[in-house]
Amino acid sequence: MAGFDEAALRRLEELVAKSKGGSKLPAPEALELKELKLLRQTAEIAKSRASIAVAKRKIEDREKYRVGGLAVAAGLSRWNDDELKGGFAMLAALADTARAELGAKGKQARAAEAAKTVLVPLRVSFGEAPDEAVLTALKKRGFKWNAAAKAWDGTGEPADIQSEAELGGGLVEPLPLAPRE
């Protein structure tokens, strides 16, 4: 902690132990004890503020990556910096109704992209129990444990599921479609 080193900590512990020993501390040592406690609290506050600053920076970075990813997905990576700044300035100046229209177009584009994705019934099996991270990823994608087959069943894009299953040494197989009656 800034300004509060090991020597100060040892001295603080020494004075605290001495004060708990029953005898009253002399005035200079009592004052030193108060100063050391205050210095420790100040250092802890500084450490907490630094931790908060790091958390805020992570949130800001995540937001920048999100916006940047959307810009790349929209094909804006070929634009130069001035064009991007101008385009973003125009977007920021749009009225609420125009922004609502853009939001609707964005949802349509996302739906069209999702329609291109073919979800296939799949079964994922593992020779040995995979890491918890792999199981969590499968669960997030909606896969359920099939006790009879001793495997995970669900739907997904085979390439995506294969890449996750390979992390745990898994095998991905398509499930036959159930016959319609």
Side-chain angles (χ1 to χ4, degrees):
M1 290 183 264
F4 192 76
D5 58 9
E6 290 294 320
L9 179 61
R10 281 193 302 274
R11 180 64 178 155
L12 175 63
E13 290 170 350
E14 178 184 314
L15 289 173
V16 167
K18 194 174 179 181
S19 71
K20 288 183 179 180
S23 62
K24 189 173 179 181
L25 290 176
E29 286 185 341
L31 181 61
E32 183 183 6
L33 177 61
K34 285 182 180 181
E35 287 176 336
L36 287 172
K37 285 181 178 180
L38 182 61
L39 186 59
R40 181 179 61 186
Q41 289 173 344
T42 303
E44 288 172 352
I45 290 170
K47 186 177 178 183
S48 294
R49 283 186 175 149
S51 175
I52 289 169
V54 167
K56 283 181 179 179
R57 192 167 34 256
K58 285 181 180 180
I59 290 169
E60 290 169 0
D61 288 349
R62 198 173 311 126
E63 190 64 10
K64 288 175 185 175
Y65 285 124
R66 184 185 72 80
V67 171
L70 290 171
V72 169
L76 302 179
S77 59
R78 295 180 302 274
W79 291 24
N80 67 38
D81 288 355
D82 292 333
E83 292 169 337
L84 283 171
K85 286 179 185 174
F88 288 139
M90 286 176 60
L91 285 173
L94 287 176
D96 288 341
T97 55
R99 287 178 57 199
E101 290 175 19
L102 284 175
K105 286 182 182 179
K107 286 179 184 175
Q108 289 172 350
R110 191 177 316 133
E113 188 68 30
K116 291 179 188 176
T117 303
V118 178
L119 299 181
V120 178
L122 300 170
R123 174 168 288 156
V124 182
S125 57
F126 299 93
E128 297 178 7
D131 292 341
E132 192 63 35
V134 174
L135 295 179
T136 300
L138 288 173
K139 290 175 187 176
K140 282 184 179 179
R141 291 183 175 266
F143 277 72
K144 304 285 185 210
W145 177 248
N146 181 334
K150 295 186 179 176
W152 292 86
D153 291 347
T155 58
E157 193 170 352
D160 287 346
I161 303 301
Q162 182 65 41
S163 64
E164 287 183 9
E166 284 176 352
L167 294 173
L171 174 68
V172 177
E173 301 172 296
L175 285 174
L177 294 175
R180 292 189 175 180
E181 296 179 15

